[in-house]
Each structure stands twice: as C-alpha cells, then as structure tokens.
C-alpha cells in the first residue's frame, strides 16, 4: 500500500494474518499464509496495541504509559517495527 506511515497513520493486520501465542516456539508469532514471524518481547508489546483503530501516535502514547519510557525511543522502535512488517506484507496502513 502506498500510504505514508506517520504519527496519524492507522495500521492493522491484513486479512489472513493473526497474532497468537506459540508454545512450541516459546513466544508470540505473527501467522501469515505460508510464513511465521517470531515476535520478541518488544515487538509483542507493540503489536498488542495494534487494533486497526489507534493511530501510531496513540500506540506510542499507550506504550509510554505502560512502560514509563522515553517517548522518542518508543516512537523509533514502533516505526522501525511497523516499517519492517509493512515491507514483509504482514501489516498494512489503512489511514
């Protein structure tokens, strides 16, 4: 999708992609058709805020409250993860 990822962007998992706990792998994964993406603790924390309704800025704000951490650092981590997942086709920008 050609939409820009900025603080007002809203992202969601595309059809056919879901997040679930995988006991065999010992953590959380994103399941996509014929692909599995292992999430580390930071990626899982970020992805729990992705609901297709909250903007990037709202997700960052929620994580700042949850982890009492520096907003710029969290924003950097969120954008880095989102860009990587968008490039792999397991996250999409909807607005």
């Amino acid at each position: 999708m050609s939409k820009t990822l900025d603080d007002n962007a809203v992202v969601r998992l595309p059809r056919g992609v879901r997040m679930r706990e995988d006991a065999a792998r010992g953590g959380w994964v994103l399941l996509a058709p014929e692909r599995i993406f292992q999430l580390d603790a930071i990626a899982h924390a970020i992805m729990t805020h992705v609901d297709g309704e909250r903007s990037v800025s709202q997700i960052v704000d929620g994580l700042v409250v949850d982890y009492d951490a520096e907003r710029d650092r969290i924003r950097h981590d969120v954008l880095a993860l989102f860009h990587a997942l968008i490039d792999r086709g397991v996250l999409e920008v909807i607005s």
Side-chain angles (χ1 to χ4, degrees):
M1 193 172 277
S2 61
K3 293 184 182 178
T4 304
L5 185 60
D6 62 23
D7 286 341
N8 296 316
V10 175
V11 296
R12 70 174 175 202
L13 296 175
R15 180 177 296 232
V17 178
R18 60 191 173 108
M19 184 170 69
R20 71 170 250 202
E21 191 168 16
D22 186 332
R25 287 183 171 74
W28 288 84
V29 296
L30 287 179
L31 297 176
E34 300 182 24
R35 299 179 292 167
I36 297 176
F37 297 89
Q38 181 80 36
L39 300 176
D40 64 18
I42 293 171
H44 176 252
I46 293 169
M47 292 304 296
T48 61
H49 289 264
V50 173
D51 60 7
E53 296 179 12
R54 287 184 259 191
S55 68
V56 169
S57 182
Q58 290 170 319
I59 291 169
V60 170
D61 290 343
L63 290 163
V64 167
V65 170
D66 289 351
Y67 294 97
D68 190 27
E70 181 184 316
R71 189 177 199 287
D72 288 340
R73 179 63 194 173
I74 288 179
R75 182 178 180 274
H76 176 270
D77 291 346
V78 167
L79 290 175
L81 176 67
F82 287 175
H83 282 292
L85 295 177
I86 289 166
D87 289 347
R88 288 169 178 81
V90 292
L91 192 68
E92 63 185 12
V93 180
I94 57 172
S95 67

